[in-house]
Amino acid sequence: MKQEQIKTLIDALAASDLAELEYSENGSTLRLVKLAALGAASAAPAARSPSGLRKAPRQAPEETTAPAAASADCLAPLFGVVHLQPAPGEPPFVQPSQAVEAGQLLCVIEAMKMFNEVRSDRTGTVRQVLVQSGQEVEAGQPLFRFD
C-alpha cells in the first residue's frame, strides 16, 4: 500500500461515523480503529462483515462518559513517537502544574511521517508528564496525569 492510499483511508475513517476500518490488498491488511471505539471494540468484538468494515456498538451516554470521568490520565490515541514541544529548543506545549483548557494541544504523536495532535479532553491542571519527548508510545499508554 502506498502512503497516499493509507492517508486517504485514515481521512475517510476520521470523517465517518465508523469506529473501525479494515482494508486488504495483495496479502497486506491495514486495520484502523478510532480511539473512542478502542474500549468498546475490545470489550465486545463485533462479527466481521464481508467488506471488512464494521460499526462499533452504540453505547448509552452514561456508559461512555463514566469511564472517561473516572480517569485522570490522557492516553495516547495511537502508536508513534511523542513530541512534547513544537520544535527542538522550543518550550513544551504544557508543563507540570500548568492549567489547561479542554481542547488545548498537549503534544503531537508522529506516526508514519504524519503528525497527530493530542488535545486535552478536560479542563484541569497537568499534574505529571508521564513520557519524554522522542519516546515511542503505544496506543492507550498514559501520557499526562491531571488533577
Side-chain angles (χ1 to χ4, degrees), residues 3-4 10 15 33 55 58-59 61 68 80 100 105 116 118 122 124 144:
Q3 188 172 359
E4 300 84 37
I10 291 170
V33 180
K55 289 188 178 184
R58 298 244 183 235
Q59 295 181 348
V100 295
L105 183 62
N116 302 279
V118 177
R122 66 184 55 114
F144 301 91

Side-chain angles (χ1 to χ4, degrees), residues 1-103:
M1 281 181 243
K2 295 183 179 178
Q3 188 172 359
E4 300 84 37
Q5 194 175 23
I6 294 170
K7 176 157 177 27
T8 301
L9 291 170
I10 291 170
D11 292 341
L13 178 63
S16 74
D17 64 341
L18 293 174
E20 296 183 28
L21 182 133
E22 188 169 297
Y23 179 79
S24 296
E25 177 182 79
N26 299 331
S28 296
T29 300
L30 174 68
R31 181 171 175 251
L32 304 171
V33 180
K34 285 186 181 176
L35 177 63
L38 198 56
S42 63
R48 288 188 183 265
S49 64
S51 67
L53 301 177
R54 58 188 150 170
K55 289 188 178 184
R58 298 244 183 235
Q59 295 181 348
E62 58 274 4
E63 290 179 17
T64 56
T65 56
S71 173
D73 291 346
C74 172
L75 307 178
L78 71 162
F79 171 83
V81 177
V82 68
H83 298 282
L84 299 175
Q85 56 209 50
E90 292 190 24
F93 293 111
V94 294
Q95 298 179 33
S97 73
Q98 178 180 340
V100 295
E101 297 292 322

